[in-house]
Amino acid sequence: MALFVRGGHFLKCRSDITRAVTALQPYCSSVASGRQRVNGVDVYYERTGSGNHAVLLLPGALGSTRTDFKPQLKSLNKECFTVVAWDPPGYGQSRPPERKFTPDFFERDAKDAVDLMKALGFGKFSLLGWSDGGMTALIAAAKNPELMRKIVVWGANAYVTQQDLQIYEGVRDVSGWSARMRQPMEEVYGAETFARTWEAWVDCFAEFGKRPEGSVCIEVLPLISCPTLIIHGEKDPVVPSFHAHFLLKNIKGSRLHLMPEGKHNLHLRYADEFNKLVEDFLKE
Ligand code: TYC
């Protein structure tokens, strides 16, 4: 297994990781990056902190460590937590392979996410999932209760309605996106691959819409038994708030925190508030 520290330092074996990352903290960014073979794919991940509570950050659709989680990797408490962020297979720097949006892609991501954490040597861990990453986290938690400490999901939905599908159709053509939204993705994928992959994502959700109740993961929600925090931005234009209320109702013992000014990217726009909220929940 290889692990790279940003800044060019290369570490060969796992026994070196903790010591070397800790030693580098005073000199440079303490975020290390590495690759781990998971179910046939070289999965890219970043890692920071040395706390005994391990946490995996799961990005949104086509998202990646680099585009989605900078403020969390920078500022989540490094003494309490060991924070890992991954690029799911086919996203970001976990390419090749090319991303395939088969009907079971969330289940595959959930298995790969859990297998990554196991391969990195974590026994029990928490999941923090944004949007599509939230759905992946819900499925992973439902299927692996013995491995879960806690989960946090935000901007997530367990099913799609016709209203949701209309929203997705409205953003199918990425040439209509603002440069601010489009550029980071085009930097990761190149313009042509990004446009094509995004359309494939929209097509896949249109297929989910044909399932009973438009389910993405409704049936697994009752299997979630770990403490669950749902966060939702009340001004989220792409995932309406009723989705968060549905999750609250269908996940035992879960709680919902609404952010009145939050949109879909609330963890980036209100990073300090978000990080504090999540840390408090994870530490309880
Ligand atoms: N679940 C989607 C995601 O992971 C939600 C979304 C859809 C966000 C369309 C933005 O333009 C968008 N990102």
Side-chain angles (χ1 to χ4, degrees):
M1 185 201 86
L3 188 103
F4 303 87
V5 174
R6 272 191 201 151
H9 302 264
F10 178 57
L11 309 167
K12 282 196 274 329
C13 68
R14 277 213 63 211
S15 58
D16 288 332
I17 294 170
T18 310
R19 180 164 41 80
V21 171
T22 307
L24 280 163
Q25 275 177 356
Y27 308 112
C28 64
S29 160
S30 60
V31 180
S33 61
R35 290 188 174 276
Q36 172 66 48
R37 193 92 183 149
V38 179
N39 301 323
V41 175
D42 271 328
V43 169
Y44 174 86
Y45 68 93
E46 298 191 2
R47 171 180 176 146
T48 187
S50 53
N52 64 18
H53 190 152
V55 171
L56 177 66
L57 301 169
L58 302 98
L62 276 69
S64 59
T65 298
R66 197 152 287 178
T67 51
D68 290 10
F69 291 127
K70 276 199 193 115
Q72 283 65 47
L73 286 161
K74 179 164 177 255
S75 302
L76 282 174
N77 187 313
K78 295 180 195 298
E79 271 136 47
C80 295
F81 306 109
T82 297
V83 180
V84 178
W86 79 320
D87 292 2
Y91 284 173
Q93 296 183 68
S94 294
R95 291 177 300 144
E98 191 182 318
R99 182 71 175 187
K100 288 273 178 287
F101 289 107
T102 53
D104 65 343
F105 86 82
F106 280 114
E107 285 75 15
R108 258 192 300 124
D109 279 354
K111 176 167 169 42
D112 290 339
V114 166
D115 289 348
L116 170 67
M117 292 303 270
K118 284 187 190 163
L120 295 178
F122 300 112
K124 280 186 107 178
F125 46 86
S126 293
L127 300 175
L128 269 55
W130 178 33
S131 204
D132 273 19
M135 285 116 104
T136 304
L138 294 169
I139 295 168
K143 295 199 167 172
N144 303 275
E146 72 292 352
L147 299 177
M148 293 299 129
R149 284 182 80 161
K150 298 185 176 184
I151 61 170
V152 181
V153 299
W154 66 105
N157 46 299
Y159 60 98
V160 281
T161 64
Q162 290 308 310
Q163 181 189 345
D164 297 317
L165 297 179
Q166 271 170 20
I167 294 171
Y168 305 158
E169 283 301 330
V171 291
R172 169 189 283 278
D173 179 359
V174 299
S175 67
W177 289 27
S178 69
R180 190 175 59 85
M181 297 287 290
R182 204 179 58 224
Q183 257 167 16
M185 290 296 202
E186 290 186 341
E187 276 167 26
V188 172
Y189 293 98
E192 198 267 326
T193 303
F194 170 53
R196 185 166 32 84
T197 312
W198 182 259
E199 280 213 51
W201 181 90
V202 174
D203 287 341
C204 185
F205 270 75
E207 291 301 313
F208 290 152
K210 296 177 188 163
R211 292 175 175 174
E213 300 175 281
S215 179
V216 177
C217 60
I218 293 176
E219 21 324 282
V220 304
L221 299 181
L223 303 175
I224 298 172
S225 55
C226 63
T228 300
L229 174 64
I230 303 149
I231 305 173
H232 205 83
E234 291 188 276
K235 293 191 175 160
D236 189 332
V238 285
V239 180
S241 297
F242 62 79
H243 283 300
H245 290 279
F246 181 88
L247 293 176
L248 177 69
K249 212 171 136 203
N250 288 278
I251 302 173
K252 280 184 293 286
S254 62
R255 71 179 92 142
L256 171 62
H257 181 98
L258 293 172
M259 290 173 60
E261 292 303 312
K263 296 186 182 172
H264 198 57
N265 66 351
L266 55 88
H267 65 298
L268 303 174
R269 177 78 175 75
Y270 301 103
D272 291 345
E273 183 184 345
F274 174 87
N275 286 352
K276 164 109 178 46
L277 184 65
V278 168
E279 286 178 354
D280 288 350
F281 171 71
L282 294 177
K283 283 189 212 159
E284 269 171 22

